[in-house]
Amino acid sequence: MKLAGLKSIENAHDESVWAATWVPATESRPSLLLTGSLDETVKLWSPNQLTGSLDDLNLVRTNTGHCLGVVAVAAHPSGVIAASASLDSFVRVFDVDTNASIATLEAPPSEVWQMQFDPKGTTLAVAGGGSASVKLWDTATWKLIATLSVPRPEGPKPSDKNSSKKFVLSVAWSPDGRRLACGLMDGTISIFDVARAKFLHHLEGHFMPVRSLVYSPIDPRVLFSASDDNHVHMYDAEGKSLVTAMSGHAGWVLSVDASPDGAAIATGSSDRTVRLWDLNMRAAVQTMSNHTDQVWGVAFQPPQGSGARGGRLASVSDDKSISLYSYS
């Protein structure tokens, strides 16, 4: 497996780019890359439609409407709608092709961090920051249907004096939609049974903020985490066990995503690199140094159909740029 650099767009935004995700293809268009920036905008990028090349990215549209920086973006599995979350505590849900607003979700008193639609597209999970919870919104009515609160660990710990430690930064759905994981500022990961809105257990092992989580697309038990402790962890999320800790980054690991084939993960780090990890070897097999500042987001493109060539990976950074790679 390997990555090859295809395209870098310098100054893709006016400020740091903190979020990126792919919007799945629809019958009428290819998949699009959605990016969010501290410049308060969300941008949609398309593979070159003139040449049909997947090796280029053209700006389709710039969405405005947030009052503060955009810290998270999420795409519905249908490819029709998407959401962006800002430091202004609002989540904006919009039609991908027209930018028409569908809903505005307010999440005070806490800011919103990461969010993700469940695999069926019926629920949007939003990491509630200082509220120490994950909020679940019904995508048919846009009503809040559940608040999954992270329990405090049992037993007195010195760190418990600092309540801000129970701060939810990241969320991930299992591929079967039955479990939701959230990563916390204190390094723990909480697993919930979604149907029963019930906390199951914590996963331990990190000792610094867990910025990003992703489940394996082929095994609903396997969860990957990225942390400020410079490590990437692979857990058996049902068995409550740490399978392996992978090291290689020289700085905070800010983002992780799993390849659609389940054979690799990619990570972005404050050490300015993107790394590709072979899950059979459980080691980094490639380091890409396209960026000149910390890499806040990595995102694999969803499969493009049976006849498609190898996949794509995008990365975004504090250097305001987007990089596009082929994954094969």
Side-chain angles (χ1 to χ4, degrees), residues 275-292:
R275 287 180 192 237
L276 184 70
W277 307 76
D278 182 318
L279 295 177
N280 282 331
M281 297 168 58
R282 296 183 182 173
V285 290
Q286 198 172 2
T287 302
M288 307 298 282
S289 303
N290 296 35
H291 292 291
T292 59

Side-chain angles (χ1 to χ4, degrees), residues 83-94:
S84 54
S86 156
L87 291 168
D88 60 13
S89 300
F90 288 98
V91 176
R92 179 174 182 262
V93 184
F94 59 93

